[in-house]
Amino acid sequence: MKHQNLRGILALISAAVAAAALMTACSAKAPVPSGKLSLSDSPLLGKFVWHDLITDDVASSRRFYGDLLGWEFEQTTHPRGGNYTLIRADGHYLGGMVLLEDTADADYSRWLPYLSVADVDAAVRATERAGGAALVGPLDLGNIGRAAAVSDPQGAVLGLLRSRVGDPDDSLAPGPGRVVWNELLAADDTGAAGFYAALAGFDVSTTPRRGGEYTVLRAQGRERAGIMARPDERVEPLWLTHFAVADVKAAARRATELGGTVLLAPGPELREGTLAVVTDPNGAILALQQR
């Protein structure tokens, strides 16, 4: 994982600015793009509130995800300059695409989630004390809030966001193409659970699953994310975003037809046949979850 590519992380923060600007416009009922975004009255601490794809080929990404997940896209410009592509699933915003240009690092394309935290500066300091690193920020977003990008103590990259206008709320039911889960593949699942409990105030519980224990992170009475030990030491720790599909086997086949790669095919040993892990044509890893 090339998480030290600062241009990629800067793109992440630029995307956070665009996402937060969209939230502000929605909350103020100002003219906004044609999608929907329902905001909470206050930040939903411990929730992953936005998801961005950092890619070196937006056009091929749009073709892949549009066909595979039925997404629609809107081209816009984020406040710090440059293009930003908003993603809609069934009319509702879930994130965006950021073009990472002229990078010497191959295969940087990745999904990056943004975690809502009470205090971005305190969360960055806590990450550094625990052995992680601040990659960019904290960055002030004015009336919108504050953001940063970090790598956790095991190297998994995520964004931190403290919104002053509320976060995308929990009113939207899971549906095809929408984000339904975020899961950390950790080198040390116990250590990761302790870190994120301290970072974002999660309540941590474990449940038995095929092959071992699974850790669930809860906040405000809701299950927000999971942690599991990485399946192989060659897998570097990362946050894996799960997108809903109606038929996981058909979706995995279609992913390969569209230029992606199936890393873990659906089978009874993998969440009872409801899950596949794939890459898009540019190398970003994602999970397809049958719902």
Side-chain angles (χ1 to χ4, degrees):
M1 178 188 300
K2 299 179 176 66
H3 65 266
Q4 296 301 331
N5 182 324
L6 292 186
R7 279 181 294 178
I9 301 303
L10 280 166
L12 161 66
I13 290 297
S14 295
V17 174
L22 174 62
M23 293 177 192
T24 300
C26 287
S27 68
K29 304 189 183 303
V32 293
S34 60
K36 303 171 186 175
L37 187 66
S38 178
L39 295 173
S40 62
D41 292 332
S42 58
L44 297 177
L45 306 179
K47 179 180 180 179
F48 285 95
V49 294
W50 196 256
H51 297 77
D52 273 323
L53 176 66
I54 310 300
T55 179
D56 58 7
D57 190 337
V58 170
S60 71
S61 296
R62 287 178 61 147
R63 289 192 295 271
F64 177 82
Y65 291 101
D67 189 305
L68 182 66
L69 298 176
W71 287 350
E72 296 177 327
F73 308 96
E74 295 177 45
Q75 195 66 38
T76 186
T77 301
H78 60 65
R80 301 188 72 193
N83 292 325
Y84 185 68
T85 302
L86 289 165
I87 300 168
R88 298 195 314 265
D90 192 28
H92 296 267
Y93 293 116
L94 65 85
M97 293 184 185
V98 180
L99 177 63
L100 177 61
E101 297 181 286
D102 301 324
T103 176
D105 292 330
D107 298 326
Y108 187 80
S109 295
R110 66 183 58 218
W111 280 98
L112 287 164
Y114 303 94
L115 179 64
S116 179
V117 295
D119 185 324
V120 169
D121 295 72
V124 168
R125 289 193 297 269
T127 299
E128 293 175 321
R129 286 196 301 270
L135 300 178
V136 171
L139 177 67
D140 191 59
L141 308 178
N143 293 333
I144 297 165
R146 198 157 171 81
V150 300
S151 61
D152 74 13
Q154 297 181 37
V157 179
L158 71 155
L160 304 173
L161 183 64
R162 175 58 161 100
S163 170
R164 299 188 180 113
V165 297
D167 290 324
D169 65 24
D170 295 314
S171 62
L172 191 62
R178 294 175 186 161
V179 176
V180 291
W181 194 240
N182 285 279
E183 185 172 67
L184 177 64
L185 305 184
D188 173 6
D189 50 344
T190 301
F195 168 73
Y196 282 99
L199 182 74
F202 287 116
D203 295 320
V204 178
S205 63
T206 58
T207 184
R209 280 195 177 176
R210 187 191 297 265
E213 294 276 311
Y214 187 80
T215 300
V216 177
L217 303 178
R218 292 182 174 83
Q220 299 177 339
R222 289 178 176 264
E223 295 184 352
R224 294 302 191 187
I227 300 174
M228 63 176 290
R230 59 185 175 178
D232 188 286
E233 289 186 357
R234 292 170 295 180
V235 177
E236 297 191 25
L238 81 158
W239 277 99
L240 182 64
T241 302
H242 294 224
F243 299 96
V245 296
D247 183 329
V248 69
K249 291 182 179 179
R253 287 195 301 270
R254 187 59 181 151
T256 61
E257 293 168 356
L258 293 168
T261 302
V262 175
L263 300 179
L264 292 174
E269 72 286 351
L270 189 63
R271 309 284 163 86
E272 290 70 49
T274 66
L275 182 72
V277 179
V278 306
T279 70
D280 70 17
N282 303 302
I285 302 173
L286 63 145
L288 303 174
Q289 177 67 61
Q290 185 167 303
R291 295 296 293 260

